[in-house]
Amino acid sequence: MTVDPNAATQSFPGPDHRRPSPARYLVPAVVAAAVAVALGAYGKVHDPEGTAFNLAGFSSTSAVKSWLATVAFAFALVQLVSAFMVYGKLRGPSWASALHRWSGRIAFLVAVPVAVHCLYALGYQTYSTRVMWHSFLGCFFFGAFSAKMLLLRTERLPGWLLPVVGGLAFAVLTLLWLTSALWFFRTVGVTT
């Protein structure tokens, strides 16, 4: 086969400017719901073990969880402020986006052992209003976080969607901290 170098080139369609498919938003929503329901179902049917881990230097697993949750919440506050910088609502350094990414990663990594302990050692509990809301919000948070991570890689999102989902995840993490670590520090005292 010979190729004519002077022949007209085939034209390819330009960028697709159509409205994105609803499936683009439906998939993260379905995954979020599946994660939340799966965690809640596991926590409800699993026989609580009472403890999953303890760290030297802490008086109890509740103290460990409270301090780890507080560290995760502190990094979530950094996430919030750095998000305002990234979106131009606050002035910030050129490395604000890197700060946002890394503070989110650290917050998540610190929150995971807390969640694992809650699910494995305590399960999904409903014996009091505070505990019921904490259990529900814990499952909801990891669902919302899953949706946010999926939406990060989605192209052509409406400009408001990612901040809303990120804000929702932050709000739920705040409520989780209030119903666990703050409750522990106010009830037992600020102890290690």
Side-chain angles (χ1 to χ4, degrees), residues 14-77:
D16 188 5
H17 294 291
R18 293 177 304 170
R19 188 174 192 100
S21 164
R24 175 172 303 213
Y25 313 113
L26 186 61
V27 169
V30 168
V31 169
V35 167
V37 168
L39 290 174
Y42 172 79
K44 196 65 176 163
V45 301
H46 170 72
D47 288 330
E49 298 294 325
T51 190
F53 66 85
N54 204 352
L55 293 177
F58 286 93
S59 59
S60 67
T61 55
S62 295
V64 174
K65 286 181 359 183
S66 297
W67 281 105
L68 286 175
T70 301
V71 169
F73 181 63
F75 277 103
L77 288 171

Side-chain angles (χ1 to χ4, degrees), residues 32-171:
V35 167
V37 168
L39 290 174
Y42 172 79
K44 196 65 176 163
V45 301
H46 170 72
D47 288 330
E49 298 294 325
T51 190
F53 66 85
N54 204 352
L55 293 177
F58 286 93
S59 59
S60 67
T61 55
S62 295
V64 174
K65 286 181 359 183
S66 297
W67 281 105
L68 286 175
T70 301
V71 169
F73 181 63
F75 277 103
L77 288 171
V78 173
Q79 271 264 290
L80 180 67
V81 172
S82 62
F84 280 113
M85 290 178 197
V86 168
Y87 281 94
K89 303 300 180 191
L90 287 176
R91 289 183 51 180
S94 60
W95 42 269
S97 59
L99 175 64
H100 184 73
R101 283 190 305 274
W102 280 101
S103 61
R105 290 171 181 157
I106 294 168
F108 179 74
L109 289 174
V110 173
V112 167
V114 176
V116 167
H117 183 274
C118 286
L119 280 172
Y120 182 75
L122 304 172
Y124 191 101
Q125 299 290 327
T126 58
Y127 62 87
S128 77
T129 304
R130 178 192 67 83
V131 172
M132 177 198 65
W133 276 107
H134 183 75
S135 295
F136 173 78
L137 292 168
C139 297
F140 188 87
F141 169 76
F142 281 97
F145 180 82
S146 300
K148 183 184 177 211
M149 292 300 104
L150 289 172
L151 288 169
L152 280 173
R153 300 295 177 203
T154 304
E155 296 177 5
R156 297 187 329 236
L157 287 177
W160 58 267
L161 186 58
L162 203 53
V164 166
V165 174
L168 179 64
F170 175 78

